[in-house]
C-alpha cells in the first residue's frame, strides 16, 4: 500500500466516503521521500532504550507507517472521527501503533505520555505534519508541558520555520523564537515544496526539529517574569526596548525600566529583537527585583 499515491488516496477516501476537511488543516503528503525523511529525523536511537513516538494528526497514516517501522510504539492523536476507519485499515499491519480520536489541545498529555511511554521505560519524541491553523499553540503546549520529550520533529509553514529558527538581530526573530530557545534548540532540517501535498497549500513548508534542553539554558529568579519580559520587548517592534517595555511594565515608570536595562548591561537605545535569551534572563531578573 503506497499511501502517497494519488490514486490510492482518492480510492481509499471515496470508499470510506471521506473528503478533505479544510477546517482541520488537512494537506496529506504525496511525495514518498518526505515521510521517510521526517521519520528518520524523528526516530533517533542513541542507545538500547525503547523508543516511543507521539504523532499529532496522522491523517490517513502516511507518516505513521514510517514511524511505526522505526519506533517501538506509536500513539497518534487524530481529531477527525471520519479518518478513524481509514487508519484502522492503513495501520492494520502495525500492531505497535494506536490511534486516539482526540483533539491534541484537549488531551491530558501528562497522563497519556506517562501511561503509554514513560511507565514502560521508553524514551519519547514527537513527530507530526502539523495542521497549519494551530501550529504555534500545539508547539507551545508541547514545550510548556515540561514532559521529557527528547525531540519534537514537525513540518510547519516555511515562514514559521524561519521565525522559529532566526538568530537574535534577524528581522524574523520574535517573542516566540526567544521563548522557544528557553525550552530547546531548534534547527531547520529541510524545505518541502507545496506540490508535495494534496491538496497543495498556498505556501511551502519546512521541517524543524526541537531538541529539548534537560535543564533550562539560563537560570532566572522567576520564569513567568522571563516570558513577560520577552512579550514586553516585542510588544512594539519598531520602538526601542525601553519604549516597548513601557506597556507591559508601566507600573515601573520610564526611570525604573531604564534602570533595569542599564543594570543588565544593555545599551539604552537597543531594540528588543537584538536581545539573546541570556540578555532577556538578566533583564527579567532586574525587572523582578525592581517590582518587589
Ligand atoms: N500526517 C498526515 C500526512 O502527513 O499526510 C496528515 C497531516 S495534515 C497536515 C494534519 C492532520 O492533523 C489532519 O489529519 C487533521 O485532521 C489533524 N488535526 C487537525 N487538528 C488537530 C487537532 N487539534 N488534534 C489532532 N489532530 C488534528
Amino acid at each position: 500500500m503506497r499511501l502517497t499515491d494519488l490514486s490510492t488516496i482518492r480510492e481509499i477516501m471515496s470508499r470510506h466516503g471521506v473528503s478533505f476537511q479544510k477546517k482541520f488543516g488537512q494537506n496529506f503528503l504525496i511525495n514518498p521521500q518526505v515521510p521517510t525523511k521526517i521519520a528518520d529525523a524523528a526516530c533517533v536511537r542513541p542507545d538500547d532504550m525503547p523508543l516511543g513516538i507521539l504523532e499529532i494528526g496522522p491523517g490517513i497514516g502516511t507518516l505513521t507507517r514510517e514511524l511505526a517501522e522505526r519506533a517501538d510504539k506509536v500513539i497518534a492523536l487524530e481529531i477527525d472521527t471520519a479518518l478513524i476507519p481509514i487508519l484502522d485499515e492503513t495501520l492494520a499491519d502495525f500492531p505497535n501503533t494506536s490511534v486516539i480520536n482526540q483533539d491534541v489541545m484537549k488531551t491530558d498529555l501528562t497522563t497519556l505520555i506517562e501511561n503509554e511511554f514513560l511507565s514502560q521505560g521508553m524514551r519519547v519524541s514527537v513527530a507530526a505534519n502539523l495542521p497549519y491553523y494551530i501550529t504555534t499553540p500545539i508547539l507551545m503546549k508541547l514545550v510548556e508541558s515540561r514532559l521529557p520529550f527528547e525531540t519534537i520533529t514537525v513540518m510547519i509553514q516555511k515562514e514559521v520555520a524561519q521565525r522559529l529558527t532566526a538568530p537574535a538581530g534577524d528581522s524574523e526573530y520574535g517573542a516566540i523564537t526567544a521563548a522557544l530557545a528557553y525550552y530547546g534548540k531548534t534547527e531547520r532540517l529541510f524545505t518541502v515544496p507545496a506540490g508535495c501535498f494534496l491538496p497543495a497549500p498556498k505556501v511551502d513548508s519546512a521541517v524543524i526539529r526541537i531538541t529539548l534542553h534537560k535543564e533550562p539554558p539560563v537560570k532566572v529568579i522567576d520564569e513567568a517574569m522571563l516570558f513577560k519580559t520577552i512579550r514586553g520587548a516585542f510588544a512594539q517592534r519598531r520602538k526601542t526596548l525601553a519604549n516597548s517595555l513601557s506597556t507591559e511594565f508601566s507600573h515601573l515608570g520610564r526611570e525604573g525600566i531604564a534602570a533595569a536595562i542599564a543594570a543588565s548591561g544593555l545599551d539604552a537605545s537597543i531594540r528588543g529583537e537584538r536581545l539573546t535569551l541570556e540578555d532577556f534572563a538578566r533583564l527579567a531578573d532586574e525587572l523582578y527585583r525592581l517590582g518587589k
Side-chain angles (χ1 to χ4, degrees):
M1 190 187 300
R2 259 175 76 112
L3 288 180
T4 48
D5 280 350
L6 291 184
S7 52
T8 307
I9 298 176
R10 292 206 172 103
E11 185 280 319
I12 207 163
M13 287 182 73
S14 82
R15 186 156 43 80
H16 286 270
V18 172
S19 48
F20 290 101
Q21 295 294 318
K22 209 173 166 199
K23 67 173 179 204
F24 292 142
Q26 290 177 356
N27 302 96
F28 296 165
L29 280 164
I30 54 169
N31 179 321
Q33 287 168 17
V34 181
T36 307
K37 280 170 79 177
I38 298 175
D40 281 343
C43 300
V44 178
R45 290 171 175 275
D47 53 33
D48 290 343
M49 201 169 167
L51 173 67
I53 296 280
L54 172 70
E55 188 193 4
I56 297 158
I60 58 168
T62 315
L63 173 59
T64 324
R65 289 164 60 99
E66 296 295 331
L67 295 167
E69 276 178 6
R70 292 163 178 79
D72 294 282
K73 183 173 186 180
V74 179
I75 300 289
L77 292 175
E78 174 55 61
I79 195 171
D80 188 356
T81 309
L83 293 174
I84 304 304
I86 296 186
L87 288 161
D88 286 344
E89 185 179 323
T90 59
L91 301 175
D93 295 340
F94 296 94
N96 60 341
T97 299
S98 312
V99 176
I100 304 176
N101 184 198
Q102 214 161 284
D103 179 346
V104 62
M105 296 310 291
K106 294 187 183 146
T107 301
D108 174 358
L109 288 181
T110 305
T111 305
L112 180 75
I113 297 300
E114 175 60 35
N115 291 350
E116 296 289 350
F117 302 111
L118 302 180
S119 63
Q120 294 165 33
M122 291 186 170
R123 65 171 74 248
V124 58
S125 285
V126 177
N129 170 12
L130 283 180
Y132 294 159
Y133 75 100
I134 197 177
T135 301
T136 308
I138 294 177
L139 282 179
M140 291 320 286
K141 174 165 181 168
L142 290 170
V143 294
E144 285 171 357
S145 72
R146 291 293 173 88
L147 284 161
F149 298 123
E150 305 272 330
T151 57
I152 299 173
T153 306
V154 287
M155 175 131 63
I156 57 179
Q157 286 184 349
K158 198 168 126 188
E159 291 75 47
V160 181
Q162 264 157 359
R163 198 170 341 129
L164 298 186
T165 55
D170 190 286
S171 61
E172 295 292 324
Y173 182 75
I176 179 130
T177 327
L180 207 55
Y182 184 71
Y183 296 105
K185 177 175 79 74
T186 305
E187 48 183 335
R188 211 171 119 185
L189 301 183
F190 54 92
T191 303
V192 181
C196 292
F197 301 88
L198 182 74
K202 290 198 179 68
V203 293
D204 290 343
S205 298
V207 174
I208 61 162
R209 180 170 54 197
I210 306 169
T211 303
L212 288 138
H213 299 307
K214 303 267 183 257
E215 292 291 329
V218 291
K219 290 260 177 295
V220 285
I221 303 169
D222 182 57
E223 273 186 4
M225 180 58 96
L226 173 66
F227 295 116
K228 187 174 169 175
T229 305
I230 293 173
R231 237 185 1 258
F234 288 97
Q236 300 179 68
R237 267 196 93 102
R238 268 178 278 278
K239 298 202 171 170
T240 61
L241 174 64
N243 278 332
S244 189
L245 287 173
S246 62
T247 316
E248 195 83 48
F249 294 94
S250 56
H251 58 288
L252 298 180
R254 294 203 163 272
E255 282 172 16
I257 292 170
I261 292 174
S264 49
L266 295 165
D267 193 281
S269 62
I270 199 165
R271 284 175 196 271
E273 71 230 40
R274 301 212 73 84
L275 270 63
T276 61
L277 182 64
E278 289 71 23
D279 295 330
F280 277 120
R282 285 199 316 279
L283 179 58
D285 282 353
E286 293 302 334
L287 288 165
Y288 182 89
R289 287 188 193 106
L290 271 180
K292 284 257 113 179

